[in-house]
Amino acid sequence: MAVREIDCLYEACPVPILKAMKELKTMDPGDILILHSDHSCVGVAFNEWGEKNNYPIQVVEVEDGEWEVYIEKPK
């Protein structure tokens, strides 16, 4: 299992989702992608996208106004 990170600070939706989709295509099943964002709608957007596409998503607010989105590529 590999873990990769993407910095999406200062980028508005849908850029973080597009970057995540591009990175996930290069990853193996079971790998984890951690996306860093300061855009307030990132949690809602990723939860909806993950539900539609069967990706397990966990969103954590690490600081006031900054989130980490954990995405596991399905097996």
Side-chain angles (χ1 to χ4, degrees):
M1 176 184 82
V3 177
R4 294 189 196 172
E5 296 189 32
I6 297 177
D7 182 357
C8 289
L9 296 174
Y10 310 110
E11 296 187 26
C13 290
V15 174
I17 289 179
L18 296 173
K19 283 188 168 184
M21 290 171 61
K22 182 177 179 182
E23 190 70 23
L24 286 163
K25 286 182 182 176
T26 67
M27 297 172 69
D28 294 324
D31 288 352
I32 303 291
L33 178 63
I34 303 170
L35 185 136
H36 303 273
S37 178
D38 58 356
H39 198 250
S40 62
C41 74
V42 73
V44 172
F46 269 97
N47 281 324
E48 288 176 359
W49 177 84
E51 193 170 303
K52 274 186 183 175
N53 296 288
N54 297 320
Y55 278 82
I57 304 285
Q58 183 176 9
V59 180
V60 178
E61 186 168 10
V62 292
E63 289 185 33
D64 188 28
E66 189 173 329
W67 294 267
E68 289 180 348
V69 180
Y70 293 80
I71 307 165
E72 180 180 350
K73 186 161 183 175
K75 296 179 182 175

